[in-house]
């Protein structure tokens, strides 16, 4: 009986391991870096400067090389006026921890400040999924107004006012939306309400005075601007607007005085800034948001100088920022025809073409931007993305490499390049790129996992295991990483580590029957049958028809000689899954061991029929012996 059981029940190590390669759920205790992340998420809502400083110091001390610390570095760079450095730091922080909403918010605010409305909208929206910060709503409201999504703009301004009813900026933002929708009276009421709260509010004063002028109420416009410059005497836009208004009323002396306070040179000098239609005048009006008047100023230059390039460049930028894409394209084309040397003209034109899905034109524009300015990193990145999207991988790689020469701290582009190399079967280049990612962002999940896979394919299993373990620390429910680590533990015969991994899975998700089943398998493999039985039973308690756990339990009972219990478990396994072949095989062996004779009858039909005939003719062994003796002499005589 025992020989039969042994031949059926021996399982190869790899077969057992293959059953382990399914998902787990991970969740470890909070560490210092997790605490630092929590503190970082609270920073945007902290208004007390002393408290902010203390929090930043605590974050840096808790986890000096984590995502939260990188975020704090961005905050400090932004505070020092290094906006590009701040953007780079926020992006690195998000590479380390994609769910760091505070970094999304800060990045979105800077994008909005730089006029990158599409990028700002993405980052601010991500931030608001976790952090209901009024400043984020206000910035997104401004973005939506510029993009003419007025309903969304009003929603975000409304969210600000729900938390801070006296926020003059949000009230002025609502007024701007109402004005854009033609609700002039309502807009004027909102501007007045904002100025009651903050008399020095620059934009509300400028916008309200402009509306008064549109309504043919110049005295009210003048009164509004005078009150504004009294409350905000250092505002150059307010002084310039007041000077323009005095100029319209014929008070040249007062106009000159206000223009001087606003930083404008004397008109008597005859400089372009003083000319009503000059480039400088157009720039001033553009800064005040006077789109139409700025455009008229630029066009007045073209009346006298039709071949001038700069007015078209300025017009293109004016319309580009205002969201008037068609007018911007027309102006930028004119600048391009006149052989503009301004790389941003071609870069912005490329973005406009790309927005309209005119990809060939976009590629040409980005190429010309790079020709004008070889170190135009953003143009190279746009060119690389377009080349990649159209399947031109070699040129895409070339542009990504050139971009990284200009901005080597861009971990996200190193990661993209690594994946391109890996997809195109260039593992050595991919390895270098992944190492560059991990140098900039050691906690990048994808880089740790993908580089581990490269090492695993090269047979450098120790390195692969170290990186997979790091990846699991970063994302404890990463099934892909966990399965790869399990396979390596089996291959390297690190069964103790494997057992720890499986025990952790049970501790993390005790209600998952598969976790108990897989832990039972490793106990089973190590011949720890009592623990194996306990684990299989736990799986069955959670899921009564868990066919594989029932089958494994029956198999262990057979190994332990508990055949009646084995039969019960295996029959339950067969009922749960009629296609489970092993359960049927094991059941047949149990039946053979209970009644071995029928098994012999079915295997050797010829011999059994002979014996059956002999038994019918003779019932004793004595009658058989003479028969054999009688035949032997006869054989010799023949």
């Amino acid at each position: 009986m025992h020989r039969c059981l042994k031949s059926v029940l021996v399982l190869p190590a790899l077969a057992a391991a293959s059953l382990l390669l399914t998902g787990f759920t991970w969740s470890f205790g909070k560490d210092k870096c997790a605490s630092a992340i929590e503190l970082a998420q609270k920073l945007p809502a902290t208004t007390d400067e002393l408290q902010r400083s203390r929090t930043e110091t605590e974050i840096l001390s808790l986890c000096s090389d984590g995502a939260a610390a990188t975020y704090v570095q961005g905050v400090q760079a932004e505070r020092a006026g290094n906006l590009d450095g701040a953007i780079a730091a926020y992006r690195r922080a998000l590479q380390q921890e994609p769910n760091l909403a505070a970094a999304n918010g800060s990045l979105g605010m800077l994008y909005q400040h730089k006029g990158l409305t599409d990028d700002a909208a993405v980052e601010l929206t991500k931030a608001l999924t976790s952090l209901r910060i009024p400043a984020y709503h206000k910035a997104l409201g401004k973005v939506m107004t510029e993009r003419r999504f007025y309903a969304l703009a009003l929603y975000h301004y409304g969210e600000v006012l729900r938390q801070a009813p006296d926020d003059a900026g949000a009230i002025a933002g609502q007024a701007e939306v109402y004005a854009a929708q033609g609700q002039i009276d309502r807009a004027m009421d909102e501007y007045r309400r904002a100025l009651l709260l903050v008399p020095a509010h620059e934009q509300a004063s400028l916008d309200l005075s402009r509306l008064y002028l549109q309504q043919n109420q110049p005295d009210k416009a003048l009164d509004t601007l005078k009150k504004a410059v009294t409350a905000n005497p250092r505002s150059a836009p307010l002084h310039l607007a007041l000077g323009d208004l005095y100029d319209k009323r014929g008070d040249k002396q007062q106009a000159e005085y206000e223009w001087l306070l606003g930083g404008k040179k004397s008109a008597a000098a005859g400089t372009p800034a003083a000319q009503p239609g000059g480039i400088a005048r157009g720039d001033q009006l553009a800064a005040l948001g006077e789109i139409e008047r700025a455009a008229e100023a630029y066009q007045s230059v073209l009346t006298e100088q039709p071949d001038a390039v700069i007015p078209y460049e300025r017009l293109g930028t004016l319309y580009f920022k205002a969201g008037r894409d068609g007018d911007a394209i027309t102006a930028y084309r004119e600048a391009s025809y006149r052989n503009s040397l301004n790389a941003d003209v071609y870069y912005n034109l490329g973005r406009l073409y790309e927005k309209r899905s005119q990809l060939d034109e976009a590629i040409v524009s980005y190429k010309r931007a790079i020709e004008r300015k070889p170190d135009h990193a953003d143009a190279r990145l746009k060119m690389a993305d377009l080349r990649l999207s159209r399947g031109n991988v070699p040129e895409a790689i070339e542009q990504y490499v050139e971009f990284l020469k200009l901005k080597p701290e861009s971990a996200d582009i190193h990661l993209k390049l690594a994946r391109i190399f890996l997809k195109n079967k260039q593992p050595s280049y991919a390895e270098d790129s992944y190492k560059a990612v991990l140098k900039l962002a050691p906690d990048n999940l994808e880089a740790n996992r993908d580089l581990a896979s490269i090492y695993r394919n090269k047979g450098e299993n120790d390195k692969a295991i170290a990186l997979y373990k790091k990846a699991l620390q970063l994302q404890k429910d990463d099934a892909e990483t966990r399965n790869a680590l399990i396979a390596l533990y089996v291959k390297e015969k690190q069964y103790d580590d494997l057992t720890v991994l499986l025990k952790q899975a049970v501790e993390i998700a005790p209600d998952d029957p598969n976790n108990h089943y897989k832990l039972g398998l490793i106990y089973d493999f190590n011949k720890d049958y009592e623990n194996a039985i306990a684990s299989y039973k736990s799986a069955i308690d959670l899921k009564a028809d868990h066919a594989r756990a029932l089958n494994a339990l029956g198999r262990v009972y057979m190994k332990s000689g508990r055949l009646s219990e084995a039969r019960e478990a295996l029959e339950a396994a067969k009922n749960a899954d009629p296609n489970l072949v092993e359960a049927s095989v094991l059941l047949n062996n149990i039946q053979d061991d209970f009644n071995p004779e029928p098994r012999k009858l079915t295997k050797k039909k010829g011999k059994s029929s002979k014996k059956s005939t002999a038994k019918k003719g003779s019932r004793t062994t004595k009658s058989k012996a003479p028969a054999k003796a009688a035949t032997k002499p006869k054989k010799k005589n023949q």
Side-chain angles (χ1 to χ4, degrees), residues 364-377:
V364 170
S365 295
Y366 292 141
K367 186 176 181 180
R368 296 189 69 181
I370 294 167
E371 289 171 353
R372 299 300 189 279
K373 186 180 178 183
D375 63 346
H376 200 304

Side-chain angles (χ1 to χ4, degrees), residues 1 561-568 587-598:
M1 178 177 81
R562 297 159 66 174
L563 298 183
S564 61
E565 291 168 280
R567 178 189 293 187
E568 182 181 352
L587 273 171
N588 286 338
N589 278 277
I590 290 176
Q591 291 166 1
D592 288 347
D593 284 295
F594 278 161
N595 188 7
E597 194 61 27

Side-chain angles (χ1 to χ4, degrees), residues 363 382-393 395-396:
I363 288 173
K382 287 285 188 180
M383 175 78 89
D385 288 341
L386 279 178
R387 291 298 193 191
L388 182 64
S389 69
R390 308 191 81 178
N392 193 335
V393 177
E395 285 196 37

Side-chain angles (χ1 to χ4, degrees), residues 147-223:
R147 299 176 69 183
R148 302 182 186 181
F149 297 148
Y150 298 131
L152 285 174
L154 288 174
Y155 162 76
H156 287 292
Y157 287 133
E159 288 296 302
V160 177
L161 294 171
R162 190 169 67 175
Q163 298 180 59
D166 293 336
D167 190 306
I171 295 170
Q174 285 187 333
E176 184 180 1
V177 175
Y178 294 140
Q181 292 178 319
Q183 302 180 52
I184 304 301
D185 291 340
R186 192 171 183 181
M188 294 173 76
D189 287 342
E190 291 295 284
Y191 280 131
R192 284 191 287 261
R193 185 158 72 99
L195 289 171
L196 282 173
L197 293 167
V198 182
H201 198 291
E202 181 181 280
Q203 196 58 50
S205 301
L206 290 169
D207 291 346
L208 181 57
S209 66
R210 185 163 51 249
L211 289 179
Y212 277 135
L213 288 173
Q214 290 177 7
Q215 298 297 306
N216 198 26
Q217 300 180 56
D219 292 340
K220 288 186 176 181
L222 181 63
D223 184 57

Side-chain angles (χ1 to χ4, degrees), residues 5 64 75 125 170 177 245 315 358 388 447 510 549:
L5 288 175
S64 60
V75 171
T125 301
V177 175
L245 191 49
L315 276 170
Q358 295 175 251
L388 182 64

Side-chain angles (χ1 to χ4, degrees), residues 153 205 230 279 303 427 493 561 564 619:
S205 301
T230 300
I279 297 294
T303 302
K493 298 181 180 179
S564 61
R619 295 191 180 186

Side-chain angles (χ1 to χ4, degrees), residues 347-382:
Y347 174 69
N348 290 341
L349 187 55
R351 290 175 64 189
L352 291 167
Y353 281 137
E354 192 173 354
K355 189 175 180 180
R356 292 188 169 194
S357 298
Q358 295 175 251
L359 302 185
D360 289 330
E361 291 85 349
I363 288 173
V364 170
S365 295
Y366 292 141
K367 186 176 181 180
R368 296 189 69 181
I370 294 167
E371 289 171 353
R372 299 300 189 279
K373 186 180 178 183
D375 63 346
H376 200 304
D378 292 337
R380 288 194 178 277
L381 184 58
K382 287 285 188 180

Side-chain angles (χ1 to χ4, degrees), residues 275-295:
Q275 297 171 5
I279 297 294
R281 180 65 182 141
D283 292 346
Q284 291 169 353
L285 291 167
L288 294 172
E290 295 273 5
I291 307 297
E292 298 304 329
R293 291 178 64 195

